[in-house]
Amino acid sequence: MPTPTDRPPSRPPSTPRPALNGRPPSPPDPALQQRAWTALSLGMLSLLGLSLAGGLRRAVYVIAAAFVLGALAAWLGGTTMSRARRAGSARPRGAVAGLILGILGLAFSAIALIVFAMFWKELSAYSNCLSGANTLTAQQVCQHQFSQTITNEIRSLQPAS
């Protein structure tokens, strides 16, 4: 009977998982590694672009560019991983992160573009109101009008019960 002081046999240090043929995967091709880093960079640029979108007119273009960058990052990340798998090599560093950041940038950009499309008239009126508001009170009036018009627009979108 084992006593509390007995220790289980120690395990050898973990090794990389072997490929299907029994050998460890070879390092990724430098071209695939470069594609992975490009995917990661484009994914980060996509999310950075979303955070820097300021001004109503310019924001639409910046968000559209972030959408394209996110799509490119997701495509590059996905194709890089599949090419590495097909070649039997290890997955290049940055490919998964590029894929994830690309999908996040793509999703957030799509949501922002849909919101802009749905509420363009209200957002434009709010932007025009704010550009003429010189005082804090005038800015608050603009914000109140904007929130009222958005609330009314959302109510009109809901089905009648």
Side-chain angles (χ1 to χ4, degrees), residues 39-47 50 66-77 95-109:
L40 180 62
S41 300
L42 289 175
M44 288 191 303
L45 277 175
S46 175
L47 292 177
L50 286 174
F67 182 84
V68 170
L69 290 175
L72 281 172
W75 177 76
L76 277 173
V96 174
L99 176 67
I100 291 171
L101 290 178
I103 289 172
L104 286 174
L106 187 64
F108 290 142
S109 300

Side-chain angles (χ1 to χ4, degrees), residues 1-2 41 60 73 95 123 139 141 144 148 156 159:
M1 169 161 227
S41 300
V60 174
L123 287 166
Q139 291 173 357
V141 167
H144 180 70
Q148 287 295 356
S156 70

Side-chain angles (χ1 to χ4, degrees), residues 16-26 87-90:
R17 198 170 80 191
L20 294 176
N21 59 8
R23 295 187 319 234
S26 62
S89 64

Side-chain angles (χ1 to χ4, degrees), residues 110-124:
I111 291 169
L113 287 173
I114 290 169
V115 167
F116 274 118
M118 289 178 63
F119 301 112
W120 180 257
K121 185 174 61 172
E122 291 82 2
L123 287 166
S124 184

